[in-house]
Amino acid sequence: SLGRTEATGFGVIYTVREAMKHLKLDSTKAVAAIQGFGNVAQYAAKGFIEHLGGKVVCVSYWDRDDRAAYTVSKSEGIDPDFLMGITDQYGTINKDQAIKAGYEIEPGDVWIAKEADVLIPAALEGQINAETVEMISEKVRIIAEGANGPTTLEADEELKKRGVFMLPDFLCNAGGVTVSYFEGVQNDMNYYWSRDEVLTRLDEKMTVAFHSVYELYEKEK
């Protein structure tokens, strides 16, 4: 299906947008820090900037040559298209070209400590845990689980105490499987939608899902 490539990352952003409306946050003044720079992180970064008008200060990646994780950051905001242009097929960003373009290369776990409104762990499970939760800035209002299971139960308890709004993975990263379902529907009809139609339908589905999950949370706590 058209739109399948960006579906998971954009789905993350549609749920972030709804959470921001709920918290009465101005998305155009919002800052995000993202872990990862694979498919989900790339399109979450693009969506945060293009759809919400916000700023992404960093992404992280695994460097195959150095066998180490790095955070690539820019205080005035990263350009996801530029970074995608210097990322190889395995997800390693070209450090030298990034530095030449004014990016800072920091240790891999630095993303979690950035002064951001939104944290998007979009790479590995268990990244926000009993130890790393202490590194999270007091400024963080929303955590959007782009990865599967990025937050441990211990960290979850601490984040609840702080009043951080958690967008759980089963909701937040469901955009990809939703468009895979749309793909099946289109195949059954033997009629294919435009990219815009796919993404509009995805937005509607994700928005309805956000409010359904939130209503259940309110009711059941």
Side-chain angles (χ1 to χ4, degrees):
S1 173
L2 294 173
R4 178 61 185 84
T5 307
E6 51 273 68
T8 312
F10 280 7
V12 168
I13 295 312
Y14 299 148
T15 59
V16 167
R17 181 195 65 212
E18 293 307 305
M20 285 185 158
K21 283 183 193 167
H22 173 73
L23 296 169
K24 298 185 171 46
L25 295 177
D26 181 350
S27 67
T28 62
K29 295 192 173 78
V31 173
I34 300 178
Q35 183 192 33
F37 202 58
N39 171 269
V40 181
Q42 288 174 359
Y43 286 98
K46 280 174 70 69
F48 197 83
I49 295 161
E50 292 166 14
H51 295 317
L52 304 185
K55 178 169 80 169
V56 177
V57 286
C58 71
V59 294
S60 70
Y61 77 98
W62 178 256
D63 193 295
R64 286 183 310 118
D65 298 328
D66 296 354
R67 303 207 60 73
Y70 294 112
T71 298
V72 182
S73 58
K74 208 178 212 185
S75 56
E76 64 268 35
I78 65 152
D79 175 352
D81 290 315
F82 169 75
L83 290 178
M84 284 161 79
I86 59 166
T87 300
D88 71 16
Q89 70 199 86
Y90 305 106
T92 294
I93 293 171
N94 185 312
K95 271 205 311 290
D96 296 336
Q97 284 185 275
I99 291 165
K100 204 182 284 181
Y103 287 83
E104 202 178 335
I105 307 294
E106 301 178 278
D109 59 359
V110 165
W111 71 277
I112 203 169
K114 292 285 180 190
E115 289 238 329
D117 305 284
V118 182
L119 290 186
I120 305 176
L124 302 163
E125 67 179 285
Q127 295 300 292
I128 301 176
N129 53 47
E131 290 78 52
T132 59
V133 73
E134 301 300 332
M135 297 163 65
I136 294 175
S137 162
E138 293 294 323
K139 190 169 185 254
V140 172
R141 301 290 306 281
I142 297 168
I143 292 177
E145 294 191 323
N148 290 326
T151 312
T152 66
L153 293 172
E154 297 80 11
D156 209 39
E157 285 306 310
E158 176 57 32
L159 293 165
K160 267 183 205 155
K161 281 183 210 156
R162 291 195 197 181
V164 174
F165 195 98
M166 174 68 74
L167 288 165
D169 52 5
F170 66 83
L171 166 68
C172 187
N173 70 22
V177 288
T178 303
V179 173
S180 291
Y181 160 70
F182 289 166
E183 188 173 299
V185 170
Q186 292 169 84
N187 287 335
D188 288 345
M189 291 193 300
N190 196 25
Y191 177 79
Y192 296 89
W193 305 330
S194 68
R195 177 180 177 272
D196 284 350
E197 190 171 356
V198 171
L199 294 175
T200 299
R201 287 173 188 266
L202 173 64
D203 191 346
E204 286 167 3
K205 281 271 183 221
M206 295 298 290
T207 302
V208 168
F210 172 90
H211 291 287
S212 300
V213 173
Y214 187 74
E215 276 164 30
L216 188 68
Y217 158 74
E218 282 282 77
K219 194 170 129 212
E220 303 290 344
K221 289 293 173 225

